[in-house]
Amino acid sequence: MAVVLAHGPTLKLKKFRKQLLIGTALIVGIGTIALLAWLLYLDRIVTKQFEGRRWTLPAQVYAEPLELYAGQAFGADTLEAELQRLGYQSVDNPQRAGSYRRRGERIDLMSRRFQFWDSLQESQLISVTGAGSTITALTDQRGSEVPIFRLDPLLIGSIFPLHGEDRVVVAPDAVPPLLPAALKVAEDRKFDTHHGINVLAIVRAAIANVRAGQIEQGGSTLTQQLVKSYFLDNRRTFGRKIEEACMAMLLEVHFEKQDLLNAYINEIYLGQDGGRAIHGFGLAAQFYFGKPLAELQLHEIALLVTIVRGPSYYDPRRHPERARARRDRILKLMADFQVIDAKVARQAAAKPLGIVNGGSNKGGYYPAFLDLVRRTLQRDYREADLTEAGLKIFSTLNPLIQSRAESALEQELARLEKARKKKVPQKLEGVVVVTAPQNGEVIAMVGGRQANYAGFNRALDAKRSIGSLVKPVIFLAAVESGKFNAASIVEDAPVEVRLANGKLWKPQNITKEFAGPVPLVRALSQSLNLATVNLGLAVGLPQVTQKFKALGLKQEPPQLPSVLLGSLDVAPIDVAQLFNAFANGGFNTPLRAVRSVLDGAGKPLKSFALEVTPVADTAAVFQVNQMLVQVMERGTGRGARAQLPSGLVVAGKSGTSSDYRDSWFAGFSGSHLGVVWIGYDNNTPTGLTGASGALTVWSRLMSGIATTSWSAPQPETLQPVTIEYASGLVARPECGEDVITIAVPQGAQLPVKPQCESGLRGWWDRLVH
């Protein structure tokens, strides 16, 4: 009995131990299975998502390439400035792509290899010789004459998705050898030998984190950093660090070190440009230095590697001293680990940071114009294609004219505000749109005072009252009716119109005075309101409003008398479309911002063909355009003559909305059309007329670009006559006052000034009969 009693507890203990072992084994087994399942899940994610390494590739948008040829009005100073805009480096011997040498009026440049929409252009040495402001010779390295040469176009931006991630993917052969070496020295010296994690670095970081009670050091290898950027979010937890380490080891199992390093170079986050996240060294090279990654020098490479550690903390624009100190430490480390010579490191450390001012604007980031490009492409492409498929978009933007437009707007707005006696809390805003009338290409667009700010695009979306910009359309409808010509007399006298609501509409001239009977040419050039209203009513409101639609306005205006004085809200881009028909001689060419599109492999997808449609009688347009020339000579646009080159013939019209809320000017030369708007965003009065505000911006812009005089062949149905500008009477200079020459229809009966009748009556009768 005693033996049985002694054995009972032992049996129970053995049974408990057995159950414990079985339970433990079961738990370990389940845990192992769960761990294996989790690792298999991570392995599947790693291999499936990373194997193809398909990044989201936003469409890259390029400006119009600069074409050089002998005889071109393009001086050495201007060419050098454009080369610098493209990121070309000034050197003693230009043997590397993206470099140039200037000696007086001669510039030797080594171009970049570039795939245009129609051909691949290899890198080559080109010599450009000039005299003053003209190119006199263009030769290749053999001294042979080159008829025309295209420089690689400026990358002006990307069409990136809503999450803002942007990158320029670079192939391994486009990566400077010093970049991987610098990354290893600064971020992961055991990269070539570890299997995804560095145990010693992790232990060292873990000790620091335990002491701090939170995650402060990562001890991450380059592979772990790649995992964090490519697969994971930004949470800093122990669980996430374990997941990161496991995925890093799995990556190392499946892929070669070189593949991982190239992926890192294209993936890592390196800064922020407003709503655009800068990913990869390819885009970072453009963002910080305005040139391709392959052309970076040692001190520039070291600075990009500096930014890896903390894009915000080491932002070279916000914290230049902090960024430079770390850059120099990286250069010293590269020398210590014999990646570079110590002397070379010291020379690189002596160089400035070398970043371009204004972030992406040096490389050419123009949000307003890119917005137009995006809207244009959305008619033919899915959003995913534009933001992910790596398309190449060749646009119509002219960087030089864009720069001049931005400068003209900012300088004139600042001058106008400084000249104000009464200071106001808000700042004036403005828009500039420049087109090439013959082909409808939008070559510059400034959507606001802060040209590089991707906010409200006033050029496309700010619909404001256009005031007297409506008058050329009214005068065109009048001339087309056959009842009027440039010399016809119209009364600038009071007029009253009973509206549908019973109210009486009584318009006024801006001066509150009346000019009486005046010829159409004077009525338009002096922007006489009452003469315009009387003319429009005589023609008929339906004929006037229909002409707006014919000339390119998207919607026909309401048939209301107030439309005759500009009670019509139109966006600046639509004003440009309207006036493009005048500048193009009565032909409508839809405005366009894109020339061609290539797919990710460089194959053409779509070209945007030129469309030309006749929308107005050419003889009538010719007469109105001659009146618009008189606007610039004798009317509201004459103030521009002080800035414009002598002899340059231009045509244009000012516009002022009621209470001086909007200041407009639209005008054209032989090769450029410019539209300018100035006003406040809250629509309060500016105190500016079109002539005192917008015209000054237009004049500064047109005087700063190479443009040609407006001219057009006179239609055979017209004949030139000389009349007095004030009265419209036929006269000669010796017997009339302020005589001008205009074109009127053949056979038109015009009154002759009495003092000139003896010499002109017989001549005039013979001319009209």
Side-chain angles (χ1 to χ4, degrees):
M1 187 69 181
V3 174
V4 174
L5 289 174
H7 227 68
T10 304
L11 288 173
K12 289 181 179 181
L13 184 59
K14 287 183 177 181
K15 185 177 180 180
F16 172 75
R17 287 176 177 173
K18 183 177 180 180
Q19 291 174 340
L20 182 62
L21 287 173
I22 293 173
T24 302
L26 187 61
I27 292 172
V28 171
I30 293 173
T32 303
I33 293 172
L35 178 61
L36 290 173
W38 182 62
L39 290 174
L40 286 171
Y41 167 73
L42 293 181
D43 187 71
R44 188 167 179 270
I45 291 177
V46 165
T47 55
K48 184 178 180 180
Q49 293 188 20
F50 196 78
E51 194 161 30
R53 286 187 297 287
R54 177 177 168 81
W55 283 278
T56 295
L57 300 179
Q60 294 179 328
V61 184
Y62 292 90
E64 173 189 32
L66 175 60
E67 295 184 338
L68 303 174
Y69 53 89
Q72 182 180 12
F74 215 79
D77 290 341
T78 305
L79 177 56
E80 184 173 26
E82 288 305 292
L83 290 174
Q84 292 174 350
R85 191 198 304 274
L86 289 170
Y88 278 62
Q89 300 297 304
S90 177
V91 296
D92 293 330
N93 187 11
Q95 294 184 339
R96 185 179 179 184
S99 62
Y100 75 94
R101 172 183 60 204
R102 179 176 179 180
R103 291 178 176 174
E105 296 295 301
R106 171 171 170 160
I107 292 180
D108 301 312
L109 64 94
M110 182 64 76
S111 69
R112 297 177 178 128
R113 185 177 188 267
F114 191 82
Q115 175 66 62
F116 288 94
W117 60 89
D118 54 358
S119 64
L120 174 65
Q121 181 174 280
E122 297 291 347
S123 175
Q124 54 186 300
L125 183 65
I126 296 292
S127 296
V128 185
T129 305
S133 60
T134 304
I135 295 176
T136 57
L138 197 66
T139 56
D140 60 20
Q141 57 187 357
R142 297 184 299 274
S144 301
E145 182 180 335
V146 177
I148 190 168
F149 183 78
R150 287 186 298 195
L151 285 172
D152 51 293
L154 182 70
L155 178 64
I156 62 173
S158 303
I159 301 178
F160 46 86
L162 293 177
H163 58 66
E165 192 172 292
D166 194 8
R167 63 169 49 78
V168 174
V169 173
V170 291
D173 58 2
V175 176
L178 285 175
L179 176 56
L183 282 170
K184 293 174 188 178
V185 166
E187 295 293 323
D188 188 359
R189 293 167 202 163
K190 300 290 185 181
F191 176 77
D192 292 326
T193 57
H194 66 58
H195 299 288
I197 61 173
N198 186 336
V199 178
L200 290 179
I202 291 175
V203 171
R204 185 170 58 250
I207 294 173
N209 293 335
V210 169
R211 288 174 177 171
Q214 60 183 354
I215 301 291
E216 287 196 346
Q217 292 186 21
S220 298
T221 63
L222 290 177
T223 314
Q224 287 175 274
Q225 292 179 37
L226 175 61
V227 166
K228 177 182 176 181
S229 181
Y230 199 87
F231 297 103
L232 304 175
D233 54 37
N234 291 321
R235 288 178 299 164
R236 295 170 64 86
T237 65
F238 288 104
R240 195 202 62 83
K241 292 297 293 182
I242 292 172
E243 186 178 9
E244 175 189 294
C246 292
M247 294 182 83
M249 289 187 286
L250 289 170
L251 271 181
E252 295 271 359
V253 169
H254 290 288
F255 300 99
E256 298 293 331
K257 290 282 188 179
Q258 184 58 43
D259 290 337
L260 297 176
L261 192 56
N262 187 59
Y264 180 94
I265 287 170
N266 283 302
E267 172 61 30
I268 201 69
Y269 172 71
L270 288 167
Q272 196 73 26
D273 181 24
R276 182 173 69 142
I278 308 300
H279 280 260
F281 284 84
L283 183 60
Q286 293 283 355
F287 177 62
Y288 290 108
F289 303 110
K291 56 186 175 181
L293 178 62
E295 296 176 15
L296 295 191
Q297 300 177 38
L298 173 59
H299 67 287
E300 296 166 332
I301 291 172
L303 181 59
L304 290 188
V305 174
T306 291
I307 297 170
V308 168
R309 183 61 62 91
S312 178
Y313 188 78
Y314 290 110
D315 184 339
R317 294 190 178 96
R318 297 172 57 196
H319 310 293
E321 295 181 359
R322 184 186 297 166
R324 180 162 187 166
R326 176 157 175 80
R327 181 203 70 173
D328 294 348
R329 285 199 300 272
I330 290 175
L331 289 169
K332 185 176 184 304
L333 283 173
M334 293 176 73
D336 292 342
F337 284 88
Q338 300 181 341
V339 174
I340 57 175
D341 185 76
K343 181 180 179 181
V344 173
R346 288 193 298 272
Q347 290 173 342
K351 293 184 178 181
L353 293 179
I355 59 169
V356 294
N357 293 326
S360 52
N361 234 27
K362 171 70 175 187
Y365 185 58
Y366 308 108
F369 184 82
L370 285 172
D371 188 16
L372 176 61
V373 170
R374 185 171 196 150
R375 297 189 197 190
T376 300
L377 294 172
Q378 282 175 338
R379 305 171 196 158
D380 301 293
Y381 296 92
R382 297 179 304 127
E383 184 71 12
D385 293 329
L386 297 177
T387 59
E388 299 177 7
L391 302 180
K392 272 189 175 182
I393 314 298
F394 292 94
S395 78
T396 59
L397 183 118
N398 183 310
L400 178 59
I401 294 179
Q402 174 73 26
S403 176
R404 299 283 167 81
E406 292 177 4
S407 176
L409 181 63
E410 176 53 39
Q411 290 180 27
E412 285 302 316
L413 290 182
R415 184 189 65 79
L416 290 169
E417 288 177 334
K418 187 176 180 180
R420 286 182 178 278
K421 295 180 180 179
K422 183 179 179 181
K423 302 302 179 183
V424 292
Q426 67 266 40
K427 283 195 170 186
L428 283 170
E429 271 298 346
V431 168
V432 181
V433 178
V434 185
T435 72
Q438 288 73 21
N439 54 26
E441 292 184 344
V442 179
I443 56 180
M445 177 181 285
V446 186
R449 193 164 184 170
Q450 292 180 290
N452 62 344
Y453 175 66
F456 178 59
N457 192 346
R458 298 170 186 83
L460 302 184
D461 298 323
K463 294 185 176 183
R464 305 290 289 251
S465 179
I466 61 175
S468 293
L469 290 187
V470 302
K471 290 176 180 174
V473 182
I474 299 167
F475 279 65
L476 177 60
V479 175
E480 278 191 322
S481 72
K483 302 175 183 178
F484 301 90
N485 59 59
S488 297
I489 302 301
V490 63
E491 286 291 334
D492 185 61
V495 59
E496 296 181 356
V497 179
R498 181 72 62 180
L499 303 177
N501 60 7
K503 292 184 178 180
L504 196 63
W505 184 58
K506 299 172 65 176
Q508 295 285 337
N509 281 330
I510 196 169
T511 61
K512 308 296 183 182
E513 298 175 352
F514 316 116
V518 294
L520 259 64
V521 60
R522 179 185 169 191
L524 183 56
S525 65
Q526 293 184 213
S527 199
L528 300 176
N529 288 344
L530 296 178
T532 302
V533 171
N534 282 312
L535 181 66
L537 293 176
V539 174
L541 286 175
Q543 288 72 23
V544 171
T545 59
Q546 288 166 16
K547 183 52 62 178
F548 278 99
K549 183 74 180 295
L551 293 177
L553 204 63
K554 294 174 183 177
Q555 292 183 334
E556 182 178 331
Q559 293 178 13
L560 299 174
S562 58
V563 169
L564 299 175
L565 291 184
S567 181
L568 184 64
D569 294 342
V570 183
I573 188 68
D574 296 322
V575 172
Q577 182 69 77
L578 200 66
F579 273 78
N580 211 70
F582 288 98
N584 208 15
F587 292 88
N588 180 39
T589 303
L591 297 184
R592 58 178 185 157
V594 178
R595 287 181 173 179
S596 185
V597 179
L598 304 185
D599 65 15
K603 296 179 181 179
L605 288 180
K606 183 178 178 64
S607 293
F608 291 76
L610 181 65
E611 301 176 25
V612 180
T613 307
V615 293
D617 178 71
T618 54
V621 173
F622 184 86
Q623 291 182 74
V624 174
N625 284 348
Q626 281 197 323
M627 298 185 217
L628 293 176
V629 170
Q630 292 303 320
V631 171
M632 307 304 294
E633 297 295 329
R634 290 171 170 78
T636 56
R638 65 185 180 276
R641 292 257 59 103
Q643 280 196 312
L644 296 176
S646 176
L648 180 68
V649 180
V650 292
K653 185 70 189 76
S654 60
T656 310
S657 66
S658 57
D659 297 326
Y660 303 96
R661 297 176 189 276
D662 302 278
S663 171
W664 289 90
F665 193 84
F668 52 90
S669 64
S671 50
H672 298 96
L673 163 69
V675 173
V676 178
W677 168 85
I678 292 176
Y680 289 120
D681 282 339
N682 62 3
N683 206 29
T684 56
T686 65
L688 298 171
T689 64
S692 64
L695 176 63
T696 65
V697 177
W698 186 90
S699 303
R700 182 181 286 272
L701 168 63
M702 296 298 281
S703 65
I705 62 177
T707 192
T708 59
S709 287
W710 175 83
S711 65
Q714 179 178 289
E716 294 180 356
T717 57
L718 300 180
Q719 63 185 17
V721 298
T722 55
I723 65 169
E724 280 190 333
Y725 171 74
S727 68
L729 298 175
V730 176
R732 297 191 312 271
E734 60 267 24
C735 63
E737 296 180 7
D738 194 12
V739 173
I740 62 173
T741 300
I742 58 171
V744 297
Q746 295 275 3
Q749 297 292 329
L750 301 181
V752 179
K753 186 175 183 178
Q755 294 90 327
C756 300
E757 281 189 343
S758 59
L760 280 176
R761 178 60 66 186
W763 167 81
W764 181 247
D765 289 340
R766 290 192 301 273
L767 185 63
V768 299
H769 294 101

